[in-house]
Amino acid sequence: MRPLTPRIVRLCESIEESPRYRRCKRFFHDLMENDNAPFKRYYDLVLITLVLASIGVLIYDVKHPAGPLARGFELTVVSIFIVEYLLRLWLYNDAHRDLLKEFETAELMNEPFRLSPALWRIARRKWEYVSSPLAIVDLLAILPSYRPLRLLRIFLLFRLFKVFRYSQSLQEFGRVLAEKRFELGMLAMFVGLVVFAASTAMFMFEAGESGSHVGSFFDAVYWAFVTIATVGYGDVVPVTMEGRVVAIMLIVSGIAVISFSTSIIVTAFTEKFRKVADDRVYATLRSRRAYTIVCGYGRMGEAVVERLAGARDPFVIVDRSEAAVEKARQQGHLAILSNAAEHELLERIGIRDRAATLLCVTGDDITNIFMTLSARHLSKSVRILARANKKESVLKLVRAGANHVVSPYEMVGMNAAEYIGQPVAFDAIYGLVTGTRGVVLEGVVVLAGSAAEHRRVGDLPLLEYRLLLFGVLRDVEQQAEQTAMLNPLHGGAFRLPASRFYFRPAAAFHLHARDILVVFGYEASVHKFRKFLETRGA
Amino acid sequence: MTVAGVQRIAVFGDHAMVLEVAKHLQYREHAVLIVDDKLEHLERAREHGFDTAQLDFTDDAELWTVLADKATTTVVSLFDSDAENVFLIISARALKPELKIVTIAESTDSVAKLLAAGANKIINPHEIGGRKLWGYLERPVIAEILDHTLFSSADLNMAEMEVAQSSPVRGRRFGELLESGTHNAVLLGLVRAGNAEDFVFSMRALNHVLHAGDMLVVIGPKDDLARMRRELIGPGS
């Protein structure tokens, strides 16, 4: 090992361990590269302004040679760009870490550590950055513009390209085209061949003729491009009949070229816009809390969404079919096109900490079960309501972690059976339970200190308030005391997940705080009764 | 084999839905006949223990072979498409006017068509499912209570009890019956004789004097309801 090596290794180690270095690097990374950091936007804006200003000055300078002020401005701007270039070079990777890794590998293999190859490899990594398109643009933008050399003024344009780096939308645009590079490449080849053939023909037919506009081969190429793009300046036109025939053929192929390229770009952008629309929804969701996710915008999804929208509860729709998402968006709802069974989607959509409820209501049980399982895995607290299209799926969904399962077939079966057996009762009760007759089924909480606490059920003026008692709901812990009080001839207790429901308890049933009186009655009556309990509190 | 006096329900429609619904009907102790034209569907139905009949519902003569039986009082039509449901409903209604016909609707627009065709009861499963989901979202406590009591295999049933001529409650005030509370049932309300569509909530019917033909709507444990039926209503029902 050369005497320099241990010093370099120690230098790298001290860099690796220094928190100040890391903070410094992270600061610049957040400023210049991290899209999610707040400052990057301002940095981008400042730099775009600088670039445009410097170009403006240079443009002005073309006709009005400016004084020292302009030159000073140009110098400042170029220095800023140089500093930026070097910073990006530094940010590109952690060179010291790479060196240390090489060193440790060498130690592990019990081989002598060779500095020069390691440094060479690091230089190659940095070269990756230098040879990337955006870095090349940066470099060319820095090159001083030698005014006398007119050609080099073109490099000024590269400064304009620099703006590319700072504008996310332009980058998106670039990405869109890059995605279609195969098709665009094919198109370019086709155009290239046709143009070459046409220019050659044009040149051969026209170059020698008198009165011809085609002097050099370049003129012919220029003319071919102008024609195939259906621009037709009219500065170069064929004068011979053969030339005109070539022109006709070129015009016809020009139409094909235009349509082909339009369709490629349109497709690329349509796909992109779709994704952008989705991204916008995700962005909106990031700032929302306690919303409902509706997976599956079929008939049941629509029925729930209608109610959610009516109650102005926040929600977002996810569906696999484009038609459904389009329909939802047209109705003004937030909607995302995606296969909701994807794990990534559930995370992005905020299942862990932002969504309150997930509705898995697609028409396919496999999807519903998988989605329920994935969601439950990601969040223990989110409420999951699922749709079971087959009876067997109900239990599976519960096992997968659903809080409640709704089965359309079961609803049909139950409704049909009850209707057939006792239509009057079913109709009446169904109407009450859904509140469609003005009568509601509501829970009145017995608050600590209220008029109902420690009272017997029989003592409450329920009849006076026109309320019909269905039962009392109690938390499980308080059960033990009450069982002794139960009159075996009355009531009956039903086990619920965390509580017990006492159907029609006896008059001697004592109420505790936090019990819920479940009553039938008109909305107004329930309201009045609640007020009564509050005001008469002990 | 149909037992004398037992009403039989003929179920037509898309196979998956038919099986599910038939299971529920059978669970509530109705006699079910599954009708289909495809043999493999009928075999699956038979495996589940249902009676089956193979026929093409579009043929009136074949349809009549099922409807002719006096025990067949109800037809349930569960096709996925409105067109097929309408066809069956119209055919069945024409062949046997007193038939009770229950069908499913794809959407709210279908409901009008199916009613016009002659259905007695139209069920929109997705609408109902959506409503139930909404119940879970908005009033989870109540929804859960109902799930574990009324809408499950647990003890609470709903029942309608007609007041017979010989019933001991004839002439008594409804409110009196409510207050007496000797029965372990919640008296939800009643439908007065002659006003079949008009359900009156019990709190509004307190002063109503009970007549023969009035229908009481109650919720309670199965056995208590049976006892109530025997004691209060009399041998009529």
Side-chain angles (χ1 to χ4, degrees):
Chain A
M1 285 204 277
R2 295 182 13 211
L4 198 53
T5 313
R7 265 210 289 245
I8 292 189
V9 173
R10 262 202 300 277
L11 178 63
C12 290
E13 279 173 1
S14 59
I15 292 177
E16 174 72 13
E17 280 158 27
S18 152
R20 261 215 325 244
Y21 177 87
R22 231 172 308 160
R23 265 204 304 269
C24 191
K25 199 155 189 181
R26 190 169 322 139
F27 170 75
F28 280 112
H29 174 77
D30 281 344
L31 186 67
M32 295 166 66
E33 304 267 328
N34 186 0
D35 284 334
N36 290 330
F39 294 117
K40 178 165 186 287
R41 235 175 305 152
Y42 299 122
Y43 174 78
D44 286 347
L45 227 71
V46 165
L47 271 144
I48 292 181
T49 326
L50 264 183
V51 170
L52 291 175
S54 77
I55 294 179
V57 166
L58 289 167
I59 289 175
Y60 183 76
D61 191 64
V62 170
K63 283 286 185 126
H64 312 95
L69 203 59
R71 272 201 292 275
F73 180 70
E74 170 77 9
L75 204 60
T76 331
V77 167
V78 169
S79 342
I80 295 179
F81 287 166
I82 291 177
V83 167
E84 197 215 358
Y85 184 82
L86 291 173
L87 274 177
R88 284 194 199 271
L89 186 66
W90 175 48
L91 284 176
Y92 180 66
N93 71 337
D94 290 316
H96 63 277
R97 208 171 284 172
D98 288 346
L99 190 90
L100 279 178
K101 230 179 273 181
E102 300 244 349
F103 180 69
E104 281 161 17
T105 316
E107 296 252 286
L108 199 63
M109 308 289 238
N110 225 345
E111 278 173 9
F113 176 64
R114 305 227 303 275
L115 188 62
S116 344
L119 286 176
W120 178 243
R121 273 192 281 274
I122 290 175
R124 272 228 302 268
R125 280 277 285 166
K126 291 295 184 189
W127 176 252
E128 270 173 28
Y129 168 73
V130 172
S131 53
S132 70
L134 284 175
I136 293 177
V137 166
D138 282 345
L139 193 59
L140 289 172
I142 295 173
L143 283 186
S145 47
Y146 292 109
R147 278 163 201 67
L149 279 139
R150 229 180 45 191
L151 202 59
L152 280 180
R153 283 206 193 161
I154 286 182
F155 287 126
L156 294 182
L157 287 181
F158 283 102
R159 206 164 283 188
L160 205 52
F161 289 159
K162 230 174 123 62
V163 178
F164 223 77
R165 184 195 266 295
Y166 302 112
S167 163
Q168 260 187 342
S169 37
L170 283 183
Q171 284 190 18
E172 284 291 330
F173 186 91
R175 269 195 283 265
V176 169
L177 291 179
E179 271 170 38
K180 290 287 172 186
R181 58 184 178 277
F182 177 70
E183 289 90 337
L184 291 171
M186 265 195 344
L187 182 68
M189 221 159 40
F190 174 71
V191 169
L193 281 169
V194 169
V195 161
F196 183 68
S199 335
T200 317
M202 184 69 163
F203 187 68
M204 287 202 302
F205 291 136
E206 298 254 321
E209 305 291 323
S210 60
S212 148
H213 298 195
V214 178
S216 66
F217 188 68
F218 181 74
D219 286 340
V221 172
Y222 172 73
W223 168 84
F225 271 111
V226 167
T227 311
I228 205 174
T230 72
V231 171
Y233 286 130
D235 48 356
V236 177
V237 294
V239 295
T240 63
M241 194 188 77
E242 299 86 350
R244 289 190 174 149
V245 168
V246 173
I248 290 173
M249 297 200 299
L250 204 55
I251 290 169
V252 170
S253 25
I255 298 175
V257 164
I258 298 294
S259 352
F260 192 19
S261 54
T262 313
S263 89
I264 293 176
I265 306 223
V266 164
T267 335
F269 275 99
T270 319
E271 287 165 11
K272 194 49 153 188
F273 285 149
R274 216 171 286 148
K275 189 173 165 300
V276 164
D278 279 353
D279 285 342
R280 264 213 312 241
V281 175
Y282 287 125
T284 320
L285 285 179
R286 262 198 287 275
S287 56
R288 301 259 178 98
R289 296 281 179 279
Y291 46 87
T292 303
I293 304 171
V294 182
C295 277
Y297 198 53
R299 287 169 284 180
M300 202 185 267
E302 279 191 60
V304 184
V305 162
E306 210 182 298
R307 287 170 173 78
L308 281 168
R312 294 184 180 287
D313 284 343
F315 62 89
V316 62
I317 298 170
V318 179
D319 198 294
R320 208 189 297 210
S321 110
E322 237 182 271
V325 172
E326 197 48 50
K327 183 173 184 184
R329 287 207 180 127
Q330 271 172 7
Q331 290 167 331
H333 305 315
L334 274 181
I336 293 176
L337 175 68
S338 177
N339 180 352
E342 289 166 12
H343 190 85
E344 192 197 290
L345 172 89
L346 286 175
E347 287 237 38
R348 273 190 93 178
I349 212 168
I351 200 109
R352 264 191 218 276
D353 45 7
R354 280 175 275 124
T357 316
L358 171 67
L359 260 51
C360 304
V361 289
T362 72
D364 170 39
D365 281 347
I366 297 178
T367 311
N368 291 341
I369 293 174
F370 186 67
M371 212 188 314
T372 303
L373 193 74
S374 313
R376 183 54 74 213
H377 175 72
L378 287 171
S379 163
K380 298 277 170 274
S381 59
V382 73
R383 204 160 41 141
I384 303 180
L385 307 179
R387 165 178 168 179
N389 293 295
K390 296 225 284 256
K391 196 168 158 103
E392 299 85 57
S393 308
V394 174
L395 205 55
K396 292 178 196 168
L397 281 163
V398 171
R399 279 208 201 104
N403 294 98
H404 296 286
V405 178
V406 169
S407 163
Y409 290 174
E410 181 159 350
M411 318 246 70
V412 173
M414 192 172 71
N415 278 3
E418 295 293 348
Y419 170 75
I420 290 167
Q422 41 231 350
V424 174
F426 180 70
D427 212 35
I429 289 169
Y430 200 74
L432 289 183
V433 154
T434 55
T436 46
R437 290 171 184 273
V439 178
V440 293
L441 179 61
E442 285 262 354
V444 179
V445 184
V446 174
L447 298 164
S450 85
E453 197 187 2
H454 302 313
R455 297 271 297 274
R456 300 171 345 141
V457 162
D459 295 340
L460 289 179
L462 290 167
L463 197 59
E464 210 180 292
Y465 279 84
R466 298 288 180 267
L467 295 176
L468 184 65
L469 183 65
F470 185 42
V472 175
L473 187 71
R474 170 170 294 168
D475 279 342
V476 184
E477 304 94 60
Q478 302 185 54
Q479 270 180 63
E481 303 168 43
Q482 198 53 42
T483 38
M485 294 287 290
L486 275 182
N487 183 334
L489 278 181
H490 284 261
F494 293 86
R495 236 200 216 98
L496 269 62
S499 38
R500 277 282 179 91
F501 179 68
Y502 297 93
F503 172 68
R504 212 172 166 276
F509 187 93
H510 267 78
L511 291 169
H512 298 178
R514 295 201 351 241
D515 281 351
I516 301 182
L517 293 160
V518 184
V519 294
F520 285 104
Y522 287 98
E523 192 90 59
S525 317
V526 176
H527 188 68
K528 277 212 309 245
F529 187 65
R530 280 206 187 104
K531 278 257 140 30
F532 162 75
L533 287 186
E534 282 168 36
T535 52
R536 290 276 311 273
Chain B
M1 274 273 290
T2 53
V3 179
V6 174
Q7 297 181 352
R8 198 170 65 166
I9 306 173
V11 186
F12 300 72
D14 287 322
H15 186 59
M17 171 83 88
V18 163
L19 270 187
E20 288 295 324
V21 171
K23 285 184 205 162
H24 280 283
L25 289 174
Q26 199 177 56
Y27 173 75
R28 278 172 167 74
E29 290 160 20
H30 296 290
V32 177
L33 176 75
I34 295 186
V35 180
D36 204 308
D37 59 348
K38 293 206 175 45
L39 216 49
E40 57 270 24
H41 292 166
L42 295 175
E43 266 170 33
R44 267 190 71 196
R46 268 198 290 270
E47 281 170 31
H48 281 97
F50 295 109
D51 288 339
T52 61
Q54 181 178 22
L55 58 91
D56 173 14
F57 76 94
T58 57
D59 183 334
D60 272 1
E62 291 189 38
L63 190 55
W64 179 242
T65 61
V66 163
L67 296 182
D69 188 350
K70 258 220 283 268
T72 307
T73 53
T74 315
V75 159
V76 180
S77 178
L78 302 171
F79 293 100
D80 227 9
S81 80
D82 285 338
E84 286 174 293
N85 283 329
V86 164
F87 189 91
L88 176 61
I89 293 169
I90 289 186
S91 314
R93 178 63 71 210
L95 287 172
K96 194 165 173 178
E98 68 275 21
L99 206 56
K100 230 193 291 198
I101 304 182
V102 180
T103 183
I104 54 172
E106 290 177 30
S107 64
T108 28
D109 305 319
S110 324
V111 173
K113 290 183 219 162
L114 294 162
L115 275 176
N120 294 105
K121 170 87 175 157
I122 300 170
I123 301 170
N124 185 338
H126 300 99
E127 178 64 31
I128 296 174
R131 218 180 297 166
K132 188 153 190 207
L133 282 172
W134 175 242
Y136 285 127
L137 287 176
E138 280 293 281
R139 301 149 75 223
V141 173
I142 302 287
E144 222 174 300
I145 291 173
L146 287 173
D147 265 359
H148 284 86
T149 57
L150 209 52
F151 298 144
S152 77
S153 44
D155 229 14
L156 285 189
N157 280 4
M158 56 181 104
E160 54 197 45
M161 302 180 185
E162 191 174 331
V163 176
Q165 281 285 357
S166 50
S167 165
V169 302
R170 261 189 66 209
R172 283 173 63 185
R173 257 182 73 240
F174 181 81
E176 220 184 288
L177 194 59
L178 196 63
E179 284 167 43
S180 72
T182 44
H183 291 268
N184 187 26
V186 170
L187 266 160
L188 224 43
L190 68 114
V191 176
R192 288 168 299 191
N195 288 43
E197 296 301 305
D198 192 19
F199 170 75
V200 185
F201 179 50
S202 52
M203 291 296 131
R204 291 183 59 201
L206 294 173
N207 289 322
H208 174 81
V209 175
L210 292 165
H211 298 307
D214 284 346
M215 197 91 91
L216 299 175
V217 177
V218 292
I219 298 178
K222 210 191 283 207
D223 301 331
D224 290 300
L225 288 184
R227 203 179 333 132
M228 182 176 179
R229 203 185 283 265
R230 279 194 307 271
E231 288 175 11
L232 282 192
I233 309 307
S237 207

